[in-house]
Amino acid sequence: MTQLRDFTHIVQYIFQRIALALFLIAAVALTFASAMAAFGLWNWISLPLEYNGAVVENAGMYAQLALTALAIGLCFFLPTNRRVMQLENSHRQFAVGMQDVARAYAAVHAADRAENFQLSSEFDSVRERLAYLRDHPDLSTLEPAVLEMAAQMSHVARDLAEVYSDDKIARARSFLKQRQEEVELFNDRLDQAKAISTEMKHWLHEVELEESVAIAQLERLRDEMQEIMPELGMERVVPTDDKAPTATPFKADPTTLDNIVIDLPPKAAE
């Protein structure tokens, strides 16, 4: 893109110079021809022209004089155009110079961030940076004024280079990397804990379900036993409110005491 822009500027510069030369040649030629025709040494331009059905006499002379006046008038704009072109060229040269300054400043600022400069006073600091730029292999073709400007800019920005030095940036990146690794490890452990919690909840639900099934089976078995006890000749003793067991009202024979069934308090599992 930059090469195309430079090529366009070159083509524009060439055609501007050609146009200026043509304007000057045309103005001089028309002025000379008109002067020679006015003195009768040359003939005026012959131009057959009619207006409203009538032939215009000396139309060629009028056309030649008009073209001469136009060419001379354009010549008065040539100095202005020349100043505009000079401003454009100076602007392009200034842009190129600023690019060179920016490139030199980037190089010396990188060296400053790497703590290659140790002198603190302004004169010594600028001189040290200027010597570094002069010895730089990529900046040896730049003008001394450009290098001096870049060195002064680097001296002004030395505090910024100290704050954002390569060593401090490396430590900050290492710290952030460690924090990121810790966060990733914490997330892994958190996912593991969530998985264990989910497994324990599922296990607890299965145990409670199995307990409820066992209790239901025990109750059903107890109900069945209560139904068949009278048929087996067994007596059921029910505890009263004062926790003293009472028997059904009949006089039991000592030989039948073995057939008495006493309700026991339910266990905690029930």
Side-chain angles (χ1 to χ4, degrees):
M1 188 65 182
T2 304
Q3 295 178 354
L4 180 61
R5 189 183 299 109
D6 295 339
F7 178 75
T8 305
H9 291 160
I10 293 174
V11 173
Q12 182 180 1
Y13 177 82
I14 293 173
F15 277 96
Q16 284 178 349
R17 295 300 184 273
I18 293 175
L20 289 176
L22 290 177
F23 285 147
L24 288 175
I25 293 173
V28 172
L30 288 173
T31 302
F32 181 76
S34 298
M36 295 295 290
F39 288 111
L41 299 178
W42 285 3
N43 295 325
W44 294 99
I45 296 176
S46 177
L47 183 63
L49 182 63
E50 294 183 358
Y51 179 74
N52 198 15
V55 179
V56 179
E57 296 182 359
N58 299 325
M61 181 182 66
Y62 297 147
Q64 184 175 348
L65 292 176
L67 290 174
T68 303
L70 178 62
I72 294 174
L74 289 175
C75 290
F76 288 99
F77 289 96
L78 294 180
T80 303
N81 191 15
R82 179 173 175 274
R83 288 193 295 269
V84 171
M85 288 189 295
Q86 288 179 351
L87 289 175
E88 290 179 353
N89 294 330
S90 63
H91 177 70
R92 296 192 190 101
Q93 293 175 0
F94 176 76
V96 173
M98 290 305 298
Q99 291 178 0
D100 294 337
V101 171
R103 186 159 59 93
Y105 170 73
V108 70
H109 184 67
D112 198 2
R113 288 174 55 184
E115 299 180 356
N116 292 334
F117 307 122
Q118 304 297 331
L119 300 179
S120 58
S121 63
E122 181 177 0
F123 177 77
D124 295 334
S125 176
V126 174
R127 185 180 61 180
E128 186 179 16
R129 287 166 170 78
L130 186 59
Y132 173 82
L133 290 174
R134 288 175 179 172
D135 296 336
H136 198 280
D138 298 333
L139 306 175
S140 58
T141 58
L142 297 181
E143 298 180 356
V146 174
L147 299 180
E148 183 178 359
M149 185 180 299
Q152 293 176 355
M153 292 172 61
S154 176
H155 172 74
V156 173
R158 66 186 184 279
D159 295 336
L160 184 64
E162 182 179 358
V163 172
Y164 295 98
S165 63
D166 295 341
D167 188 15
K168 293 181 179 179
I169 290 177
R171 289 201 303 268
R173 289 178 176 175
S174 177
F175 174 74
L176 292 176
K177 185 177 180 180
Q178 292 177 359
R179 290 291 301 274
Q180 186 176 7
E181 292 177 354
E182 292 177 358
V183 171
E184 292 177 354
L185 180 60
F186 177 77
N187 290 331
D188 294 339
R189 292 178 178 176
L190 185 61
D191 294 338
Q192 185 179 2
K194 290 180 180 179
I196 294 174
S197 177
T198 303
E199 182 182 359
M200 294 298 290
K201 288 181 180 179
H202 181 67
W203 193 2
L204 177 61
H205 177 71
E206 290 182 352
V207 171
E208 290 178 349
L209 182 61
E210 291 177 358
E211 286 182 352
S212 63
V213 171
I215 293 173
Q217 292 178 355
L218 180 61
E219 292 292 338
R220 186 170 60 254
L221 181 60
R222 181 181 298 168
D223 294 339
E224 293 177 354
M225 291 299 294
Q226 289 177 359
E227 291 177 356
I228 65 175
M229 279 180 184
E231 297 179 359
L232 296 177
M234 295 182 179
E235 182 182 5
R236 182 171 178 268
V237 179
V238 181
T240 60
D241 295 337
D242 56 357
K243 299 182 181 180
T246 59
T248 55
F250 76 96
K251 188 176 181 180
D253 187 20
T255 58
T256 61
L257 293 177
D258 294 335
N259 296 328
I260 297 176
V261 179
I262 300 175
D263 279 351
L264 299 177
K267 296 181 179 179
E270 297 179 359

